[in-house]
Every structure is written in C-alpha cells, then in structure tokens.
Amino acid sequence: MARGELRIYLGAAPGVGKTYAMLEEAHRRAERGADVVVALVETHGRKHTTAMIGDLEVLPRREITYRGVAFTEMDLPAVLARRPELAVVDELAHTNVPGSGHAKRWADVRELLDAGIDVLTTVNVQHLESLNDVVARITGVEQRETVPDAVVRAAEQVELVDMTPEALRRRMAHGNIYQPEKIDAALGNYFRTGNLTALRELALLWLADKVEDQLDRYRADHDIDATWETRERVVVALAGGPEGDTLIRRAARIAARTKGADLMAVHVTRNDGLAGADPAVLARQRVLAESLGGTYHQVSGADVSRALLEFARGVNATQIVLGASSRGRFAQLLTAGVGNSTTALSGSIDVHLVTHERAGQGRRRERMPAALSRGRRIAGFATTLLGLPLLTAVLSAVPDPPLVNDILLFLAGVVGVALIGGLWPALLAAVAGSLLLNWFFTPPYGRFTIAQGQNLLALAIFVVVAVAVSLVVDTAARKTRQAAQASAEAQTLAAVAGGVLRGQRPLVALLDRLRETFALQSVALLENGAMVAAVGGPVCTDPAGADVVVTADDGLLVLLKGHTLEASDRRIVEAFAAQAAVALRQERLAAEAATAKPLAEANKLRTALLAAVSHDLRTPLASAKASLAGLRSAEVEFDEEDRAELLATADESLDRLDRLVANLLDMSRLQSGALGVTRISVGAEEVVPRALDDLGPEGRGVSVRVPDDLPLLETDPGLLERVLVNVIANALRYSPPDRPPMVTGSSHGDTVELRIIDHGPGIPEDRWDDVFLPFQRLGDRDNHNGVGLGLALSRGLAEAMGGTLTPEETPGGGLTMILALPASA
C-alpha cells in the first residue's frame, strides 16, 4: 500500500489564512471527485472559516475526560475506519489530551499517512522546534506546542500562506481573528508590527532552506554538476599567507552586494599532510572570516585547483576569489599556477583574481632545516673520504676487473654514503667516484680521458644514477623528519586544546598549558601595553625583556619568559596566540552577556508590566466607568433592579482593580526588597475566614477544615491573608462547579501547613515551577483574566514570612498548594 502524501500550509502567525486556504484546497479536491473528509478543523469562532467548511463531510470528534474536565480531540480510529482519500487535519503541532493514543497530533497524522490517506494540515512558524527559542526571544512568549522540523521537511508539499503585518493587524482590528475583548492586548503584544515582520522573515527563510534542500536532492538524483545560480555563494581560497586578510575582506564586499549571499573561506591542504600553511595565520583568518558572517572550511587534495573547484561545485558556489600568484615570472613560465588552472577549469563559476602587495614578488620560503643531523652529515663526508680510496685500493688489487662491476660497486658505495650522510656527502661521493673510475679503471689509465664511447656512457649513467639515488634518499629522510615534526606539533596542539576545553576559564587555561608545554617561567598576554592575563612567575610585562614575543592580534602580544624557542615551536605558539585572542574575545562577550542579563530581565519585567497595565487595568476601569456613566445618564431611565446591577458591576470592577493594583505594588516591593514584614502570633482559624470574605460570594463555597487546636503561626497576618486570597482564587478559577476547593490545616513539628486543594485539570509535575513566574498564566491562551501575578506574588510573600509555597498533585486529579509557615514558639 502506497503511503499517503502530506501537504502543509505554513504561516507566520495566527490569522494569516492557513485554515481557509487548506479548506479551499479540500473543496478543489472534492470537486475533482476525491473522497474528502474533515477530520478536525479549529475555526476559533471565525465566521469566514466556519462558512468555508460548507458541504464537506465532517467527522464527529472524540470526547475525552481528563481530571474531571471534558475535552474533544480528533477521532483517529474513526478516520482510519472511514478510509477517505484525503483527510483535513488542522493544527499539526497540537498536544493531545492524555488518553488520546498519541501525545502529539503530528503522530496521528503520521499514522494516517502510513494508512495511505493523504492529509492537509497547518502549522505556524513559531511551532517549529528549531525556531521555538528564536520566536520566544522575539515575541516574549514561549510556545509549549512544537513539531519536529523533520516532520515538516518530510512533507511532499509545504505552501506558505503569507500576509503583510499591516493587513494582518487590520484583520485583527476588524475582529476576524480574536474575540473583541482580546484584540487590544493582542495588538499591543504578540501582534506588534515588529514581531509580525520578524516572524514573516523566519517563515520565508525556513521555507527557502527547505526549497534549497529539495533542489540539492533533485540535482543529486539527476547527476547535475553545473552551477545553478539560485543564490550567490562566494568562496575565497586561502593559501595561508598574509594576503588572505585582503582576500577575505574583498570576498565579503562581493557577498554583501547581494542580500542573503553566503561567504565561505576554504584552505586546501596537500593530501600528504606534510607541507602546509602557517596555522597561526589560518587561525587569525578563520576568525576574520567568521566575524564577517562567513564560514571556514578545510579540504584536502593532491591538486589544489581541482580540490578547490570540487568544493565550490559541492556547495553550488557562484564565485571564487583567488589571490594573484606570488611566484616570480620565471616560475610562472614553468607552471600555470593555481589561479590560471582554476580559471581554466571553473566553467560557469566566476573567478576573481585579486592583486595584493606580494603579487609577483616570489615566494618567501623559510630556510628548511637539514634532513639529517650534523653528526650524520659528518659521518657521510668521512665515509666518502675514507671509503672511496679504500674501495679503489681493493679493486686495483683485483687483476683486470670488468668496468661494469667497478661502476656497480662504486654506485653501491654512493648509496651507502647517501643513507649515512644524506644529499651533499652523496653528491661528493658521486663526483669523486666518477673521477676515480676515470683515473684508475677506464683506459687510458692514469689520465682523465676516456678512449671508448661505451665507457663514457657508463660513467655518465653512473653519475646520473648516483645523483638521483642521493636525491631520493635525502627527500625520504626530509619527509620522515617533516612527518615526525607534524606529528609532534599535532600532539602538542591536541594536548593544549584539551586542557583549554577542560578549563573553566579558557584564556587562563590556554596560557597555563602553553607554559607547561614549553617549560616556560611565565606567559603573559598584553593588550596595548596593559596586561590582560598572565600565568607563572616572574611575569614579564615589557616586550623588550621577553625571550619570545608573538603577535596574537591587533594590539595583542603574547610574551614568553624562560628560554628562546625553535622555529617549529614558535609556529605552535603563534597558532595558540591567535586562539588566545579568540578566548579573550569570548570571555569579554560572556562578561557583557552576564552584565546585560539582569538588564534584560528587568526590561522583560517592565515590558510585561506595561502589557498587563495596558489591558488588565483598562478592563475593570472601563467596566466601572461604563456602569457609572450609565447611572449618570439623563437619557435612560433605569429601574431599581438595573441600577443595582450596574452598581454591583462597578463595585466588582473596582474591587478587582484594587486587588490588581495591590498585587502590582507588592510585587514591586518584593523585587526591590522594600516590603515590610511584621510577624506576630496569629491563629489560622482567624485569617482563613477573612481571606474567604475578601473573595466575596465565591469564597462562601470553599470548604474549610482547620482544627481548633492548630498551633499559632509566627507570621504577618495581613500578608498571609493576601497569600490565601490569591491561592484560593486560583483554585476557584480551575475547580469544577460541583467540587469546590478545600482548605485544610495540620502541624508538623515547628511548621504549620495550610493546604488549598482543588480538583481541577491539574498541572504536570515538570511544569510546577512555571506557575510561579510573573506575568504569565500557565495553560491560558488569552490574557483577559488577570496578569498572572497571583501565584508569583504568593510565593514571594510566603518566603518573605519565612515560609514556603509548593505544589503537589491532588489524589484523584487536581492541584494542591501547600503553604508551610513557622509555628509560634
């Protein structure tokens, strides 16, 4: 059975028309003869969406009771039993009520697809798992319902339903999205123009990435290697020289000309792993590329040009930036060079050859160390000076030896000298051997002349072979030494990097590992002459007094005290000096972030406070004002019952306003540390009834079971009353009508516990701490029932009185708040 196809309608925010577009497609499919059913559609009371369902077949929902509350969900077994060709399932990221079979609706959809049923569904960008934290930072609202990106990316079709922020706000203002009482708060909070613009950009970029993935798969499936210029991608090739900084900045300017262009810096290393660029220079250039918004890559290949082009084609690059050749003119005549080779093979990829200060000046090669030690070179020369005369004497004692045998024996001697002393002793042995062969063993003897042409050829071959063997032996020895050096450098870098990663302070850990690795007395990092960090002692703060000075970055110097370093060791120090600059920058960014965090929290609190004041203060004020304005109006005559109702509305609104203002003031006092607490001995049986009286008629239904012999509380009775009012009001809000909350009291040693028990829907244990966060209401999808300060304020007041406020699950379902306070002595 073929798997069903999934089509997702993606939107930047609620109200852009995802459900409407989905239903339009369902009607089109039905008109073409497809068997279509509406498995679940959330209209949210929007009349246009409700009307769009029309004559489509709607399957009844399944009713599930959870903790005494009835919920409706999609009836998955009914849809599977009905087996339509196409099922319409709204809100893919929805979390199902426990007992639904699957925890998430996207799992229900996956089961429908496995059954061969096509599915139309919707999702907002804020529900994508990878963007959840980004949306939370933008909007200040954390989305609890998410769907894995892989689920959405696996869809056969993802269609963006787009709308400008201005048009969406107009829809909101006209009442086409939310109910009238929610419009003001929504426009002032989540639906601000800046928020909607950012969410829209996120949706467009996410969809663009998915389209790019589809394009990459298509190109791979159809073996398409040609560059398709769907997006500008600029690749800059780094050779490890100082000109790389110029190339990176030039490439960044090229990429900046096109919105959304990618910048990628790449360094190609030889695949033998022996000859490479200066790691310190590459480290600095990597930091530069990343600071300009690019990425750094390193690939390996025998041919630099081909490896570079393979990388560029692999990332679908459109442009390559190369530096003009640093080789001299004679060298350029002998070989084409990387720039010319890359240009010739680039095909449709544009290649920019950028000039720089070192262009055409020839490569500055460092003096290579000898392949073999000085002792072995001396031994090689000694073997030449002593061995060849000895070999000549031995061969001269043999009567009339063939010239071929003489040449082979001398060649063996040259090879032996090459193995012992390397290139130069071997070259001396080759020249000396050819002269000895000419003088002693080639007619006419005793003269540097050759009578026979074949002997001349034999001697020439001897010299060529001897020189070639000498070069091969020397090269092998040099490569061996380079490999050993590269291995030692790699081990050193790995050891230092491991120490840095395990340290809590990367900069200090890096400097300390550097000091230990090279057995130094001290290592110091100076910035513009001022010491930033140092390890060991005595610390050197003057570059003139340091044994080694390494430049880490502009204005940053690493001073080493203890002894001088070899050239190979200095390269390692330069590499980690560049990392020291990065570590210093990271430490400063972390310090700035730590400093900014309290400011951000305070700003977040102010923003939430303003949002709360903009709506929750306005609502009771508007109700009271409207009631009093009606009573004062001379145009309308009210009977006594209407007047009493208006007065009651005004009184209730003002009471609500009074509680809200009191909560706000108390919260501000708590956060500023200015809240005064006066503890006295008081009985719980005195405070609980007063709290219930403050709650009005609703408080009369609360059951109270506080023993008369309960110990007295050592607390502030006024603050305790405030805590009880807030907690009991919260319990009343979520309790079913037939099961009102209960307040019980008990003593445990020197602590008295008051339990406020409700039998409402309850809260998962992993969310208990969230209910005490200010300015949010856990599980609410509206914000017209208060600012969410009650429990946050209650916990703060309880702790100010020396007590605690903790949640606990009610047996049989619900939530119990335990208020623990110290008993009076």
Side-chain angles (χ1 to χ4, degrees):
M1 179 174 57
R3 191 174 186 271
E5 294 187 356
L6 176 62
R7 182 168 183 171
I8 297 176
Y9 291 85
L10 175 68
V16 296
K18 302 181 303 297
T19 304
Y20 194 90
M22 176 181 65
L23 291 172
E24 280 185 330
E25 176 62 20
H27 277 289
R28 283 193 292 270
R29 298 280 286 273
E31 290 170 359
R32 293 198 297 266
D35 181 16
V36 180
V37 300
V38 176
L40 186 141
V41 166
E42 297 288 358
T43 64
H44 298 290
R46 300 165 190 167
K47 57 182 180 180
H48 298 295
T49 305
T50 303
M52 193 60 196
I53 297 177
D55 57 354
L56 293 174
E57 180 184 351
V58 180
L59 295 182
R61 299 190 184 192
R62 177 186 178 190
E63 185 173 304
I64 301 174
T65 302
Y66 177 67
R67 293 186 174 179
V69 181
F71 299 90
T72 60
E73 295 287 0
M74 179 180 69
D75 194 343
L76 180 61
V79 181
L80 293 172
R82 172 65 174 74
R83 295 194 61 80
E85 294 181 39
L86 176 67
V88 179
V89 183
D90 207 2
E91 297 187 358
L92 183 65
H94 172 75
T95 300
N96 293 328
V97 175
S100 302
H102 295 297
K104 293 287 188 176
R105 187 167 290 165
W106 57 262
D108 296 336
V109 168
R110 185 169 54 189
E111 188 169 343
L112 294 176
L113 296 173
D114 292 338
I117 301 172
D118 295 344
V119 176
L120 300 179
T121 187
T122 64
V123 71
N124 281 328
V125 69
Q126 64 263 33
H127 296 299
L128 295 174
E129 184 66 45
S130 64
L131 299 177
N132 186 256
D133 57 337
V134 179
V135 174
R137 287 195 296 270
I138 293 172
T139 63
V141 179
E142 183 178 358
Q143 298 293 335
R144 300 293 183 180
E145 294 182 330
T146 60
V147 57
D149 288 48
V151 175
V152 183
R153 290 187 182 276
E156 282 70 22
Q157 297 182 63
V158 177
E159 181 175 328
L160 179 66
V161 182
D162 192 28
M163 182 177 290
T164 65
E166 294 77 14
L168 187 57
R169 285 173 60 84
R170 283 197 300 271
R171 286 201 67 204
M172 174 70 72
H174 293 160
N176 295 329
I177 301 178
Y178 287 168
Q179 297 300 319
E181 65 271 13
K182 304 179 183 179
I183 293 176
D184 288 344
L187 290 175
N189 293 279
Y190 196 89
F191 282 79
R192 294 197 300 268
T193 302
N195 287 358
L196 297 177
T197 302
L199 293 175
R200 188 185 186 200
E201 183 178 10
L202 284 177
L204 292 169
L205 291 175
W206 190 93
L207 188 60
D209 288 340
K210 184 182 187 303
V211 172
E212 184 177 348
D213 291 340
Q214 291 176 330
L215 179 61
D216 290 342
R217 286 198 299 269
Y218 178 85
R219 285 163 53 86
D221 294 341
H222 292 80
D223 297 326
I224 299 174
D225 296 328
T227 300
W228 288 6
E229 299 179 4
T230 55
R231 181 193 294 184
E232 288 289 345
R233 292 179 177 85
V234 182
V235 172
V236 53
L238 303 178
E243 72 279 357
D245 296 358
T246 302
L247 301 182
I248 293 172
R249 293 187 175 95
R250 176 61 173 163
R253 290 195 296 271
I254 294 174
R257 295 172 184 169
T258 305
K259 183 70 173 178
D262 295 331
L263 173 64
M264 289 166 278
V266 59
H267 171 66
V268 180
T269 60
R270 301 284 183 181
N271 54 11
D272 57 12
L274 297 178
D278 190 339
V281 174
L282 287 177
R284 288 196 298 269
Q285 291 173 358
R286 176 175 187 165
V287 173
L288 175 61
E290 292 174 349
S291 67
L292 293 173
T295 57
Y296 178 84
H297 309 268
Q298 192 157 326
V299 297
S300 177
D303 188 301
V304 175
S305 299
R306 294 186 182 276
L308 176 62
L309 287 171
E310 286 178 4
F311 172 82
R313 293 191 178 103
V315 298
N316 201 25
T318 57
Q319 302 184 63
I320 296 177
V321 177
L322 288 165
S325 177
S326 302
R327 302 178 306 149
R329 293 182 179 180
F330 181 74
Q332 294 183 33
L333 292 175
L334 296 178
T335 58
V338 175
N340 293 331
S341 300
T342 304
T343 304
L345 301 173
S346 63
S348 60
I349 303 178
D350 296 336
V351 178
H352 302 267
L353 285 177
V354 179
T355 186
H356 50 86
E357 294 180 354
R358 291 182 56 190
Q361 295 182 5
R363 294 180 179 176
R364 300 176 183 175
R365 296 183 178 272
E366 295 182 0
R367 183 178 181 273
M368 295 296 295
L372 300 176
S373 65
R374 183 178 181 182
R376 289 187 59 177
R377 294 198 303 273
I378 293 175
F381 283 116
T383 302
T384 301
L385 297 176
L386 298 177
L388 291 185
L390 180 61
L391 178 61
T392 301
V394 171
L395 292 177
S396 298
V398 177
D400 196 20
L403 179 61
V404 174
N405 293 344
D406 297 336
I407 291 176
L408 291 177
L409 289 172
F410 269 89
L411 181 60
V414 172
V415 172
V417 171
L419 292 174
I420 296 172
L423 177 61
W424 295 110
L427 291 178
L428 176 62
V431 173
S434 65
L435 295 177
L436 291 173
L437 284 170
N438 190 0
W439 182 272
F440 289 101
F441 305 104
T442 304
Y445 304 110
R447 297 172 60 185
F448 289 111
T449 58
I450 301 174
Q452 300 178 3
Q454 60 182 3
N455 292 339
L456 176 63
L457 178 61
L459 286 176
I461 293 174
F462 166 77
V463 173
V464 171
V465 172
V467 172
V469 170
S470 302
L471 289 173
V472 169
V473 172
D474 184 78
T475 301
R478 191 180 300 277
K479 292 291 185 183
T480 301
R481 182 166 182 173
Q482 288 179 354
Q485 180 180 347
S487 176
E489 289 182 0
Q491 292 178 3
T492 302
L493 294 174
V496 177
V500 172
L501 291 176
R502 290 189 294 270
Q504 294 183 349
R505 297 184 61 190
L507 179 58
V508 175
L510 188 147
L511 298 181
D512 193 52
R513 290 292 298 177
L514 200 58
R515 182 184 64 83
E516 293 179 0
T517 301
F518 296 104
L520 299 167
Q521 293 179 359
S522 66
V523 179
L525 180 64
L526 270 65
E527 183 178 27
N528 298 323
M531 189 174 67
V532 177
V535 293
V539 176
C540 178
T541 59
D542 184 6
D547 294 311
V548 179
V549 180
V550 177
T551 301
D553 203 350
D554 294 339
L556 280 179
L557 297 176
V558 176
L559 308 185
L560 310 182
K561 185 70 175 177
H563 57 81
T564 58
L565 299 178
E566 296 182 1
S568 58
D569 292 339
R570 187 183 178 90
R571 291 182 60 190
I572 299 177
V573 175
E574 289 176 349
F576 278 91
Q579 295 301 320
V582 176
L584 176 62
R585 188 178 296 111
Q586 290 177 343
E587 284 193 3
R588 287 177 173 172
L589 288 175
E592 291 177 2
T595 304
K597 185 176 181 180
L599 298 177
E601 292 294 334
N603 184 62
K604 183 179 179 180
L605 184 63
R606 284 196 299 270
T607 302
L609 178 59
L610 290 174
V613 171
S614 67
H615 180 271
D616 293 275
L617 289 181
R618 184 187 304 171
T619 301
L621 278 174
S623 298
K625 184 174 179 14
S627 300
L628 294 176
L631 290 173
R632 294 184 59 189
S633 176
E635 300 177 359
V636 182
E637 292 290 339
F638 295 102
D639 56 24
E640 289 300 322
E641 183 178 352
D642 291 337
R643 290 176 61 84
E645 183 177 351
L646 289 174
L647 288 171
T649 300
D651 183 62
E652 181 183 350
S653 299
L654 292 174
D655 285 343
R656 179 181 169 190
L657 181 62
D658 180 67
R659 289 195 298 269
L660 179 60
V661 172
N663 281 343
L664 289 171
L665 291 176
D666 284 344
M667 178 58 75
S668 65
R669 293 192 187 100
L670 268 176
Q671 297 202 341
S672 64
L675 182 69
V677 179
T678 304
R679 300 184 188 181
I680 62 173
S681 298
V682 63
E685 68 279 2
E686 301 176 20
V687 182
V688 173
R690 290 205 300 267
L692 297 178
D693 289 341
D694 288 345
L695 292 170
E698 290 184 343
R700 297 169 190 164
V702 178
S703 176
V704 180
R705 297 181 182 177
V706 178
D708 294 336
D709 58 349
L710 197 67
L712 297 178
L713 302 171
E714 188 72 20
T715 186
D716 187 316
L719 297 182
L720 175 58
E721 183 180 337
R722 296 294 305 283
V723 172
L724 291 173
V725 167
N726 285 330
V727 177
I728 297 173
N730 188 74
L732 285 167
R733 183 178 296 112
Y734 296 104
S735 294
D738 57 337
R739 302 188 70 182
M742 177 186 300
V743 180
T744 66
S746 59
S747 63
H748 304 274
D750 57 353
T751 302
V752 175
E753 290 186 354
L754 297 177
R755 293 173 174 261
I756 297 86
I757 305 168
D758 71 63
H759 298 279
I763 301 172
E765 185 174 351
D766 60 344
R767 303 288 303 282
W768 281 352
D769 289 338
D770 295 345
V771 301
F772 297 104
L773 297 177
F775 302 112
Q776 62 173 298
R777 302 172 58 78
L778 188 63
D780 286 359
R781 297 192 179 185
D782 57 45
N783 58 354
H784 65 279
N785 288 326
V787 296
L789 268 181
L791 292 180
L793 177 61
S794 298
R795 169 172 276 189
L797 294 177
E799 292 174 351
M801 294 183 292
T804 59
L805 181 63
T806 55
E808 182 181 87
E809 185 176 1
T810 301
L815 186 69
T816 297
M817 284 291 181
I818 305 173
L819 176 60
L821 294 168
S824 175

